[in-house]
Amino acid sequence: MAQALRPTAGGLFATDGKPHPLQATLLAVTLALGVTSFITAMFDHLHLLSSWAGLVGIITGAYGQWTSETTRERFGLILGLGAAAVGFFLGMAHGGLFGGLFD
């Protein structure tokens, strides 16, 4: 039962005890863009911000998933990707990436 009391080495998102600065940065950016996109998608007139933030969040999240090394990183990236995708699709439904700019 001693293994159950073993302290975790490394940071919150590095379960293997090694630092992962690129993956941690991608995780933070994906979460920030996902939350921004999700919240701004609730307002029709902010469709430019929600669609662009969602698109960039999807791209950074996908790259983060490709390079992630631990389960904790992948879990956070999936949350950010989901929020970014919902925000992106609602932003596209409200006017899209360029809606209203060239009228």
Side-chain angles (χ1 to χ4, degrees):
M1 204 46 125
Q3 67 272 18
L5 301 174
R6 179 177 41 163
T8 58
L12 177 63
F13 298 109
T15 56
D16 59 353
K18 300 175 188 171
H20 302 121
L22 173 66
Q23 289 80 7
T25 303
L26 288 170
L27 172 62
V29 169
T30 302
L31 283 173
L33 288 170
V35 168
T36 301
S37 177
F38 185 78
I39 290 173
T40 57
M42 304 304 162
F43 305 99
D44 292 349
H45 60 282
L46 294 177
H47 62 87
L48 290 173
L49 178 60
S50 65
S51 59
W52 279 107
L55 181 62
V56 175
I58 290 169
I59 292 169
T60 57
Y63 184 69
Q65 281 286 354
W66 187 42
T67 61
S68 67
E69 297 182 16
T70 64
T71 303
R72 290 183 184 179
E73 293 166 353
R74 292 183 192 109
F75 179 77
L77 284 166
I78 288 296
L79 291 178
L81 268 167
V86 169
F88 173 71
F89 290 130
L90 287 175
M92 292 300 287
H94 290 159
L97 297 169
F98 301 106
L101 288 180
F102 302 111
D103 291 341

